[in-house]
């Protein structure tokens, strides 16, 4: 079985109302995207991994305050809008927007690479599209250095395959991407509908 097939927690389909349940989503992020970054390079991507973990922790703590009230990611954001705590320090809305952006970078990288692009170019293109617009001067200087540490595509495919051939890796990874995309696109749509995405920058 390939890397993404062996994940214990996977991204789930959206609810009938289009919302994303908080803990299944956070469990999937922790169990799929974090190990993927570890596979790319635990040292090079240490800061990215740390940021993801930090945002997962913030959102988990929010959820645990009231598991019914904050059952979905949309509930968390809508409540903070209603309570006027959207831009409060360490708000869950800000944690989710940065988590979303990092996940957009990861999925963009995976899509480009699985489609045949070399890994370094895949990472660069995804960074330009998904993270660079929100990074300040320091981030724009540091992150490109991180991208240079990305392994070659053939080595990543081999690690994802865990013994399987490239064709199988591509099929299985595309299957993983279907629900990953569905979840991320729903979060993007929520932020766009409320016109708050661009309010958060480094």
């Amino acid at each position: 079985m390939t890397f993404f097939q062996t994940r214990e927690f996977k991204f789930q389909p959206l609810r009938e109302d289009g919302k994303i349940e908080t803990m299944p989503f956070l469990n999937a992020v922790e169990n799929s995207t974090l190990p993927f970054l570890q596979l790319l390079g635990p040292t090079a991507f240490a800061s990215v991994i740390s940021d993801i973990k930090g945002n997962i922790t913030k959102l988990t703590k929010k959820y645990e305050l009231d598991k019914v009230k904050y059952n979905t990611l949309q509930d968390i954001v809508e409540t903070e809008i209603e309570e006027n705590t959207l831009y409060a320090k360490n708000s869950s809305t800000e944690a989710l927007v940065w988590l979303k952006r990092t996940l957009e970078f990861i999925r963009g990288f995976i899509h480009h690479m699985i489609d045949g692009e070399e890994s370094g170019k895949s990472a660069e293109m995804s960074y330009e599209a998904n993270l660079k617009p929100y990074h300040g001067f320091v981030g724009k200087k540091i992150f490109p250095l991180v991208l240079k540490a990305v392994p070659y595509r053939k080595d990543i495919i081999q690690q994802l395959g865990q013994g399987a051939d490239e064709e199988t890796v591509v099929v299985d990874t595309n299957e993983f991407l279907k629900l990953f995309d569905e979840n991320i696109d729903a979060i993007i749509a929520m932020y766009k509908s409320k016109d708050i995405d661009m309010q958060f920058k480094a």
Side-chain angles (χ1 to χ4, degrees), residues 33-45 49 105-106 109-110 113 119 123 146-147 149-152 155-157 159-160:
T33 56
L34 281 180
F36 177 72
L37 289 178
Q38 292 278 357
L39 180 148
L40 293 182
T43 301
F45 284 89
I49 292 169
F105 162 72
I106 294 170
F109 169 74
I110 296 174
M113 186 190 66
S119 55
V146 173
L147 302 183
V150 174
Y152 290 117
D155 295 326
I156 297 174
I157 293 294
Q159 291 186 70
L160 291 177

Side-chain angles (χ1 to χ4, degrees), residues 50-84:
S50 177
D51 284 347
I52 291 176
K53 286 182 176 179
N55 290 322
I56 289 174
T57 298
K58 290 176 185 177
L59 290 163
T60 300
K61 287 181 177 178
K62 186 77 168 187
Y63 169 77
E64 290 177 343
L65 289 174
D66 191 326
K67 296 179 180 179
V68 175
K69 185 178 182 179
Y70 302 126
N71 184 50
T72 72
L73 297 177
Q74 287 85 348
D75 293 336
I76 291 175
V77 174
E78 287 164 5
T79 299
E80 290 195 342
I81 291 174
E82 292 171 5
E83 296 176 349
N84 199 30

Side-chain angles (χ1 to χ4, degrees), residues 22-40:
T22 302
M23 285 316 299
F25 175 81
L26 295 179
N27 286 335
V29 172
E30 189 168 27
N31 194 249
S32 60
T33 56
L34 281 180
F36 177 72
L37 289 178
Q38 292 278 357
L39 180 148
L40 293 182

Side-chain angles (χ1 to χ4, degrees):
M1 292 187 12
T2 61
F3 176 83
F4 288 114
Q5 277 193 323
T6 61
R7 300 302 91 198
E8 180 181 359
F9 298 102
K10 300 177 181 179
F11 290 100
Q12 300 300 307
L14 303 182
R15 298 191 333 186
E16 289 186 5
D17 59 5
K19 293 186 175 183
I20 301 169
E21 293 188 359
T22 302
M23 285 316 299
F25 175 81
L26 295 179
N27 286 335
V29 172
E30 189 168 27
N31 194 249
S32 60
T33 56
L34 281 180
F36 177 72
L37 289 178
Q38 292 278 357
L39 180 148
L40 293 182
T43 301
F45 284 89
S47 63
V48 182
I49 292 169
S50 177
D51 284 347
I52 291 176
K53 286 182 176 179
N55 290 322
I56 289 174
T57 298
K58 290 176 185 177
L59 290 163
T60 300
K61 287 181 177 178
K62 186 77 168 187
Y63 169 77
E64 290 177 343
L65 289 174
D66 191 326
K67 296 179 180 179
V68 175
K69 185 178 182 179
Y70 302 126
N71 184 50
T72 72
L73 297 177
Q74 287 85 348
D75 293 336
I76 291 175
V77 174
E78 287 164 5
T79 299
E80 290 195 342
I81 291 174
E82 292 171 5
E83 296 176 349
N84 199 30
T85 57
L86 196 67
Y87 303 116
K89 185 178 180 180
N90 293 322
S91 75
S92 297
T93 302
E94 183 174 13
L96 181 58
V97 79
W98 279 108
L99 180 60
K100 171 188 75 70
R101 290 167 181 170
T102 307
L103 294 176
E104 285 183 87
F105 162 72
I106 294 170
R107 75 150 172 182
F109 169 74
I110 296 174
H111 269 292
H112 289 310
M113 186 190 66
I114 287 299
D115 288 345
E117 189 68 65
E118 185 48 69
S119 55
K121 184 65 174 177
S122 297
E124 181 183 343
M125 289 192 295
S126 191
Y127 173 69
E128 291 281 337
N130 299 304
L131 283 176
K132 187 176 180 179
Y134 310 104
H135 274 175
F137 177 79
V138 175
K140 289 176 181 177
K141 290 293 184 182
I142 293 176
F143 212 87
L145 299 177
V146 173
L147 302 183
K148 292 183 183 298
V150 174
Y152 290 117
R153 180 183 184 276
K154 63 180 180 61
D155 295 326
I156 297 174
I157 293 294
Q158 185 176 35
Q159 291 186 70
L160 291 177
Q162 301 181 156
D165 60 22
E166 180 173 340
E167 182 179 355
T168 302
V169 172
V170 170
V171 170
D172 288 352
T173 303
N174 277 325
E175 188 64 29
F176 161 79
L177 285 168
K178 288 179 183 178
L179 287 176
F180 189 17
D181 286 342
E182 183 177 284
N183 278 252
I184 300 306
D185 288 341
I187 299 173
I188 292 171
M190 172 181 63
Y191 276 91
K192 283 186 176 179
S193 71
K194 302 182 185 305
D195 194 27
I196 54 177
D197 192 351
M198 291 300 295
Q199 306 303 318
F200 299 98
K201 289 192 175 184

